[in-house]
Amino acid sequence: MNPQKKELNLLGRRLQAELARGAVRLGEAAVISRYAHFLDPRRPAQLKILPWDAGLVYLNLEEPGKALHIDVFHEPAALNPREVASALRSACVEYCRVRTAAAPGNHLTPSALLERLYLRTAQGEGWALSFLREGSGERGGERGKAHNHLHLLALLPPPWYDLVPYLVSAAEEVVAGGGWELRCVEELVSVSRSQGRFPLPLPLPRAGRSERGGEGLSRQVEVQTALELAGHLGGVEDALELLGALEPGRGRRSWAALARRFPDWKSILGDLAGAGLVQRSWLHWTLTPAGQHLYAFMRTYRRELEAQWRRVLRSVPRESLSYEQVVRSPRLSCWRTVSVRGKVVPLAPGSWPGELALPETIVEAARRLRAEGGGIRLQISDLRVRERRAKAPLEICLLVDASASMAGKRLRAAARLGQHLLLATRARLAIMAFQGKEARVVVPFTRSQARLVAGLRSLEAGGLTPLAKALASAVQMLQRARAKNPLLILLTDGLPTVPAQTADPLQDALAAAEKVAEQKIGFVCLGLEPDREFLQELALRAGGSLLVFADLEGEALIRAIHQEKRLLTS
């Protein structure tokens, strides 16, 4: 037998034997099995092998044991699926060359292998061969997201298992070529069905088969699907409200309430229909069996999901939609922790000196020596220290445009930003909204998430944009609250349309912005690209910063605010 063929056969048989026992690591970063995988972020070096066939879960195949599941782990990155497919093609070409050299009668072609490979990255998913054909588009991509592994499914018969090392090597080269690091998986843990409830969170929001083979969602996708839905709608409570309104037999009254709560309901239901969670009857929309299954799951594990959602809200997205900083604030104090210099006091007996006040200590020693006489000699009683510095917490007022154009996902993005600011910082937070001809305090300064969420859920978009009134009211509110370290964040998607002092709403808003600067209030404006010229002048008059976006999206707003914090404190 040809040495190359013998080596390939030996490699294939060894891999087949290892897979019969569960899963196998290939190198440090790749794991191969016939089952679904779960990487717990609380233990990133440990990978759980779940008891569900990968082909049934991810590809809805009819028979188990047909698909190999290959995961190559790396630092969070958005790999280009076309580049991955191209690297896999090179690997298949080399594999076919080696097999042909080992067995001249072999007629295996790279195309025959590529059409059996299904890949997924943050930028798209699909069959490898489709990415290589001109005009074939990616599907299921999550633009702006970053994944921590390359997901590959290979429909290979056992004689072709020796292809796997070639595929893994190609995937690792794509990761390294992009400047990202591979991540080591140190431990594989097999999870049996008898172990009960699975830990949170779980990956891969894709509809598939349930444990018993029904049409529901697989347990390993239920949690992530619930969290994706919460992110799409603004929270777990909002997701439950929507799913509950769509339960079969609820009637038109709940449907009317749904339309008021979610003005962009047509777009939302279209997305849910695409995910197989809702369907349209001749009267109205209702949950599919998969949707009913998800609703029951969310009600059962509501408390756990809310805890997990809070962790999501605290996090800062690694990737998001792009934005541009147009104006940078010349005042850095708006993001500083204000330190009040402590007064000088004698050192208390038995206490740690802390910050020694050296000039005051020398003066006290000199005063004592002048009275007593003798040489210079310090005593404990001479020591003077400064009291601990009192720090004024940041006090943020989030001023939200609630005009009609903010209805739907933009208002939900504002709500997500507000919750993030409360959970991810130690700042006190207040929410103000402006619409029609008025501006009102939705949530006074608080550290309570329950109070914040209740206020945010009361917001309904509608009316015009009284920006001048809003800025003046925000300044007055901060003065009444006696905020020591105030920051005003304005979130708007348009130009002012309601005047205040004159007949020109734009000039009135600019005049109100000058009051922000006069009161030395930190100011950041988050707006849209079409309104750049006016918002730039507004930010300059307020002495603050301007960040412009293509659209107001929750993760982009959060990332931009944190970047602004780093810039202002640099």
Side-chain angles (χ1 to χ4, degrees):
M1 179 180 290
N2 186 296
Q4 286 185 316
K5 183 177 181 180
K6 182 178 180 180
E7 183 178 348
L8 284 173
N9 289 341
L10 181 61
L11 181 61
R13 288 197 301 270
R14 181 176 177 182
L15 185 58
Q16 187 175 355
E18 293 288 344
L19 291 173
R21 291 194 288 269
V24 59
R25 282 191 303 174
L26 196 59
E28 292 185 344
V31 176
I32 304 101
S33 79
R34 296 191 182 97
Y35 303 98
H37 303 160
F38 160 46
L39 186 63
D40 189 338
R42 293 167 295 186
R43 296 181 178 179
Q46 182 185 91
L47 185 71
K48 288 183 170 61
I49 310 302
L50 303 177
W52 294 295
D53 182 88
L56 301 185
V57 170
Y58 302 127
L59 297 176
N60 290 328
L61 300 181
E62 297 296 329
E63 299 179 34
K66 299 294 185 181
L68 287 184
H69 182 189
I70 305 169
D71 279 341
V72 179
F73 292 89
H74 51 75
E75 65 175 305
L79 301 182
N80 187 320
R82 294 184 185 276
E83 293 181 3
V84 175
S86 179
L88 295 178
R89 175 173 58 187
S90 299
C92 291
V93 169
E94 177 62 15
Y95 173 76
C96 291
R97 185 192 66 78
V98 173
R99 284 189 68 97
T100 301
N106 173 63
H107 299 294
L108 190 61
T109 64
S111 295
L113 296 174
L114 286 168
E115 65 184 11
R116 293 171 173 266
L117 303 180
Y118 188 95
L119 65 97
R120 184 171 74 163
T121 73
Q123 294 190 14
E125 64 177 296
W127 297 99
L129 197 59
S130 69
F131 287 111
L132 300 172
R133 291 172 177 164
E134 190 65 29
S136 297
E138 302 130 76
R139 66 180 181 87
E142 299 174 278
R143 196 178 78 174
K145 300 284 186 178
H147 287 185
N148 63 2
H149 68 281
L150 169 62
H151 176 74
L152 183 64
L153 295 166
L155 305 182
L156 302 177
W160 296 355
Y161 280 8
D162 46 7
L163 170 64
V164 171
Y166 291 83
L167 301 178
V168 171
S169 178
E172 292 180 345
E173 288 177 6
V174 172
V175 173
W180 297 292
E181 293 182 359
L182 294 169
R183 292 287 170 88
C184 178
V185 178
E186 298 177 358
E187 183 181 10
L188 302 181
V189 177
S190 179
V191 178
S192 66
R193 293 180 187 268
S194 60
Q195 286 182 264
R197 185 189 307 179
F198 281 91
L200 302 178
L202 296 171
L204 301 175
R206 287 176 53 82
R209 297 175 176 272
S210 69
E211 272 184 70
R212 299 184 178 93
E215 293 182 350
L217 294 174
S218 302
R219 176 60 58 87
Q220 72 268 25
V221 303
E222 288 169 327
V223 173
Q224 188 64 26
T225 304
L227 293 176
E228 288 284 341
L229 187 58
H232 195 57
L233 299 177
V236 175
E237 187 71 26
D238 301 272
L240 284 168
E241 182 180 344
L242 181 136
L243 295 177
L246 294 173
E247 266 199 312
R250 277 296 181 95
R252 298 192 62 84
R253 182 174 299 179
S254 65
W255 174 253
L258 173 67
R260 289 195 305 271
R261 183 74 181 85
F262 301 99
D264 54 341
W265 59 270
K266 291 183 179 179
S267 173
I268 293 174
L269 294 179
D271 292 340
L272 295 181
L277 297 177
V278 301
Q279 60 190 356
R280 187 170 187 174
S281 66
W282 68 281
L283 284 177
H284 49 75
W285 292 84
T286 59
L287 295 178
T288 63
Q292 296 176 48
H293 187 86
L294 177 63
Y295 182 44
F297 172 80
M298 292 186 68
R299 284 181 299 172
T300 302
Y301 297 102
R302 179 175 184 167
R303 187 169 298 176
E304 293 92 333
L305 289 171
E306 287 177 341
Q308 179 65 13
W309 177 238
R310 285 193 293 271
R311 285 194 285 270
V312 173
L313 288 171
R314 289 190 189 98
S315 64
V316 179
R318 290 179 173 268
E319 300 291 340
S320 63
L321 296 179
S322 62
Y323 65 92
E324 180 182 355
Q325 184 188 46
V326 180
V327 180
R328 178 179 175 180
S329 171
R331 294 198 310 273
L332 307 186
S333 60
C334 63
W335 277 103
R336 281 198 312 240
T337 300
V338 178
S339 297
V340 180
R341 195 167 177 80
K343 64 180 181 180
V344 176
V345 296
L347 178 65
S351 65
W352 181 254
E355 183 183 357
L356 181 65
L358 186 59
E360 289 81 355
T361 297
I362 294 175
V363 168
E364 183 62 28
R367 185 183 295 116
R368 178 182 55 79
L369 292 171
R370 183 177 179 179
E372 297 178 357
I376 297 178
R377 185 179 58 191
L378 288 177
Q379 296 181 357
I380 295 293
S381 61
D382 298 329
L383 297 181
R384 295 294 181 268
V385 296
R386 293 194 182 278
E387 290 182 325
R388 289 186 178 273
R389 293 178 178 180
K391 296 185 177 180
L394 195 66
E395 293 167 300
I396 302 175
C397 174
L398 180 59
L399 185 58
V400 178
D401 180 354
S403 59
S405 59
M406 286 285 290
K409 67 176 184 178
R410 290 179 178 176
L411 203 57
R412 290 194 292 272
R416 180 163 183 176
L417 174 61
Q419 293 186 71
H420 171 81
L421 290 171
L422 184 77
L423 293 172
T425 72
R426 292 182 294 177
R428 292 201 305 152
L429 180 69
I431 305 292
M432 290 188 66
F434 58 99
Q435 59 191 149
K437 295 183 179 181
E438 299 295 331
R440 64 186 178 93
V441 177
V442 178
V443 182
F445 278 114
T446 185
R447 286 293 304 162
S448 167
Q449 190 196 10
R451 192 174 186 182
L452 177 68
V453 171
L456 291 172
R457 285 174 60 83
S458 71
L459 286 176
E460 291 187 6
L464 301 177
T465 310
L467 182 55
K469 175 72 172 179
L471 291 172
S473 298
V475 171
Q476 293 170 7
M477 189 273 290
L478 289 169
Q479 288 175 329
R480 288 195 302 269
R482 297 182 178 180
K484 296 180 180 179
N485 195 15
L487 173 64
L488 178 60
I489 301 178
L490 169 63
L491 179 62
T492 181
D493 71 339
L495 300 176
T497 55
V498 178
Q501 304 297 329
T502 71
D504 188 342
L506 276 68
Q507 289 301 320
D508 287 348
L510 294 176
E514 293 176 354
K515 300 296 183 182
V516 175
E518 290 175 7
Q519 297 299 320
K520 295 182 172 55
I521 296 172
F523 181 78
V524 177
C525 178
L526 310 174
L528 295 179
E529 176 62 34
D531 310 316
R532 171 197 288 254
E533 185 176 350
F534 169 76
L535 294 178
Q536 182 173 345
E537 181 64 23
L538 186 81
L540 288 171
R541 296 280 188 98
S545 300
L546 169 64
L547 304 171
V548 295
F549 303 79
D551 199 0
L552 301 181
E553 189 264 349
E555 291 188 351
L557 295 175
I558 291 170
R559 186 169 175 81
I561 282 293
H562 277 267
Q563 180 65 22
E564 177 71 359
K565 180 178 179 180
R566 288 194 292 271
L567 289 172
L568 290 175
T569 55
S570 61

